[in-house]
Amino acid sequence: MTQAILRTERLELVPLGPEHSEFTKMLDKDPQVMKYIGFGKPLDDEQAKEVHKWLLHAATLVPGFGCWVGFAGGEFVGWWVLAPCPSEGTPAQFRSDRSEFGYRLLPKFWRQGYAKEGSRELLRHAFQDLGLSEVFGETMAVNVASRAVMAACGLKHAYTFHNKYDTPPPGIEEGEVRYQITKDEWVSLVPVQ
């Protein structure tokens, strides 16, 4: 199963390809976008290339999973990902029943509902098309905007955790949070057609 093209009222979500590397680099090199990601600062060219490779690789591990680049009226908005989760055991395998989701948007598209719109479509795809049982997302506890998007999509705060960083990003002392939603919870939120 290859990645499908996904559509919402305003967005076309296209499977990420090598030709989209300049788009992912725009996000990785933007200080506002990276404030709550990784070490809290923009990536250099090599790091941005590695992120793009990782996003491409996500589509090779579990059928239907991967990264999508979003366009509104032909203009690049950002990306959304359904990333595979490793299962326990050796050799490393990936679960096909749950996924971590995430997104990055260019700041000019913030506070316009695009993050929520793309995320809701990814959840629909995860549960309706792929038959997943659970989807989760993580962010820094201080990232109020991202937490609000996840909550607006029906994900609930599951727990807060603290990782150790050699060079901790500002705000990490508040911890990181995981939000999650099950298929049954998602079904209960979907309006009857």
Side-chain angles (χ1 to χ4, degrees):
M1 177 183 194
T2 58
Q3 283 178 262
I5 294 175
L6 306 174
R7 290 183 175 84
T8 69
E9 185 178 328
R10 299 180 296 167
L11 290 168
E12 181 177 54
L13 302 172
V14 179
L16 178 75
E19 69 276 15
H20 299 123
S21 63
E22 288 305 311
F23 294 134
T24 61
K25 189 187 293 187
M26 285 169 49
L27 293 163
D28 293 336
K29 294 177 83 72
D30 188 296
Q32 289 179 276
V33 172
M34 300 305 291
K35 182 177 180 179
Y36 298 121
I37 300 169
F39 300 111
K41 59 184 180 186
L43 302 182
D44 62 31
D45 282 339
E46 280 307 307
Q47 292 168 323
K49 283 181 191 173
E50 288 304 310
V51 168
H52 188 78
K53 283 184 197 173
W54 182 87
L55 291 170
L56 285 171
H57 186 62
T60 68
L61 301 171
V62 177
F65 286 23
C67 184
W68 288 261
V69 285
F71 298 91
E75 190 174 1
F76 174 67
V77 174
W79 60 250
W80 286 259
V81 66
L82 286 175
C85 303
S87 61
E88 300 295 325
T90 307
Q93 296 184 343
F94 295 91
R95 296 181 61 165
S96 60
D97 64 331
R98 69 191 300 255
S99 175
E100 179 173 5
F101 101 103
Y103 56 88
R104 292 184 191 168
L105 273 66
L106 290 172
K108 71 184 270 183
F109 294 103
W110 291 0
R111 292 178 287 284
Q112 298 177 47
Y114 284 107
K116 182 170 61 174
E117 188 173 328
S119 297
R120 284 183 172 167
E121 176 58 16
L122 223 60
L123 291 171
R124 185 210 59 76
H125 178 62
F127 293 126
Q128 187 174 307
D129 299 340
L130 302 179
L132 300 190
S133 60
E134 180 184 63
V135 173
F136 68 92
E138 296 177 348
T139 191
M140 288 175 58
V142 295
N143 190 348
V144 176
S146 189
R147 293 179 73 169
V149 168
M150 288 191 281
C153 292
L155 284 81
K156 295 185 177 121
H157 178 250
Y159 56 86
T160 301
F161 59 97
H162 297 269
N163 284 321
K164 300 278 186 217
Y165 293 90
D166 292 335
T167 54
I172 201 66
E173 61 278 359
E174 300 292 326
E176 297 171 81
V177 291
R178 175 174 284 200
Y179 279 67
Q180 59 194 36
I181 186 170
T182 65
K183 182 174 185 174
D184 289 342
E185 290 168 337
W186 176 80
V187 166
S188 73
L189 297 174
V190 177
V192 177
Q193 301 276 330

